[in-house]
Amino acid sequence: MVDMRAHIEAKLISELSPDYVDVKDESYMHASGPDAQSHFKVTLVAESFEGSRLIQRHRAVNEVLADELRHQIHALALHTYTPKEWESEFGQVPDSPACRGGSKKDSATSP
């Protein structure tokens, strides 16, 4: 089985040349379970984000991970910063919100 966390990290480094990248597998927090490798939080600091709006940054990451988003990744929380923004945030990463739902199969049978 592919280590999806390491795969995501390597792909982002290769394509976006970030100053800092941190990829956390948060699947254990969700109904899919710890081995699902389907829920990730990515913190990315890149000079290339300078002058880009948040949506443009997220689109850049989504483009790099398009295949993984289609086939493996169910949820991807993105925290994207320029080096200056990162410094002003003191390198703090926001906590992920609690999971609010189950699988599509479960929601289809829910009221």
Side-chain angles (χ1 to χ4, degrees):
M1 178 180 233
V2 172
D3 179 351
M4 186 58 65
R5 189 210 60 76
H7 173 78
I8 291 168
E9 183 177 284
K11 202 163 180 185
L12 291 172
I13 289 169
S14 172
E15 298 292 324
L16 298 175
S17 302
D19 297 319
Y20 174 81
V21 63
D22 182 49
V23 179
K24 294 196 182 331
D25 183 347
E26 296 186 329
S27 301
Y28 71 92
M29 297 168 52
H30 303 277
S32 56
D35 297 325
Q37 298 191 83
S38 59
H39 292 70
F40 294 90
K41 176 166 60 174
V42 172
T43 303
L44 202 61
V45 179
E47 191 70 42
S48 63
F49 291 153
E50 192 67 48
S52 296
R53 297 174 134 193
L54 187 61
I55 189 74
Q56 292 167 315
R57 298 172 189 187
H58 288 200
R59 283 180 179 157
V61 173
N62 288 343
E63 241 179 71
V64 170
L65 300 175
D67 189 52
E68 293 79 3
L69 285 163
R70 267 192 299 279
H71 298 103
Q72 177 74 27
I73 299 173
H74 173 72
L76 184 63
L78 297 176
H79 303 282
T80 54
Y81 304 94
T82 66
K84 184 186 254 183
E85 291 167 341
W86 180 249
E87 185 178 310
S88 73
E89 294 286 331
F90 304 107
Q92 298 297 311
V93 178
D95 290 334
S96 294
C99 185
R100 296 174 45 124
S103 68
K104 289 180 184 175
K105 180 179 174 186
D106 292 337
S107 62
T109 59
S110 298

